[in-house]
Amino acid sequence: MSYPDPHLVHTLQQVIEFVGTLAFAISGLRAAANRHYDWFGGFVCGFAVAIGGGTIRDVMLGVTPFWMTSAIYIECTFLALILVVAGNRLTNRMDNTWLVFDTFGLALFTIAGIQKTIALGHPFWVAVVMGCITGSAGGVIRDVLLNLEPLIFKKEIYAMASVAGGMAYWLLYHWHVNVAVTAAVTFAVVCLIRFLAVRYHISLPTLHDDRSGNKK
């Protein structure tokens, strides 16, 4: 099954990728600012976060990485740098700035990954996986660049919010719901799960090595 208006889907895809790039770039720049990187280092971090997941997705799907088809994504990262530098005092007063933009980027890129995978004719389980990779891999790259333990590997809910959003997208797609409504609901599901998990300290069970307590 495919959507009846491919032009609408393509336009929505471009808008989501642009806004998602901006959100993730701001997330990466704010994280770099917390580590006292210079402007160039911040830009590199922001750009890597913004394109990382989508690049891995496109390589796995065998297509040209999305940011190589238009300079707008580099321009978007420059815009994010300007916003972060110009609004530094304001964002410093907002303790949850990084969380908000990171969550928005996660949700938007989850949707973008799913839509692009479906458009290329892959089954939906592949689309859900690609949505998760698109949304989560950029954060892994950010944490590696900042010499931090990747958030996705901790007990905090992150990638699972993306998976849950992917399942919501699948249900709405299966029920032939309008693509714009489907994207909006998926965005809300990912954001809601992520914010509630952080607010109420909800997490997945952690793995334990029973031998660790028996060392002599």
Side-chain angles (χ1 to χ4, degrees), residues 173-188:
Y173 182 88
H174 181 71
W175 292 336
H176 304 275
V177 177
N178 176 273
V179 61
V181 175
T182 298
V185 172
T186 303
F187 178 85

Side-chain angles (χ1 to χ4, degrees), residues 16-66:
I16 288 173
E17 286 190 342
F18 177 81
V19 179
T21 298
L22 182 64
F24 257 154
I26 292 175
S27 162
L29 283 159
R30 286 301 306 152
N34 290 337
R35 305 285 284 189
H36 304 292
Y37 281 30
D38 63 19
W39 287 15
F40 178 75
F43 177 85
V44 170
C45 184
F47 187 61
V49 175
I51 70 165
T55 300
I56 294 174
R57 173 202 66 207
D58 290 345
V59 169
M60 294 180 70
L61 294 176
V63 298
T64 302
F66 72 104

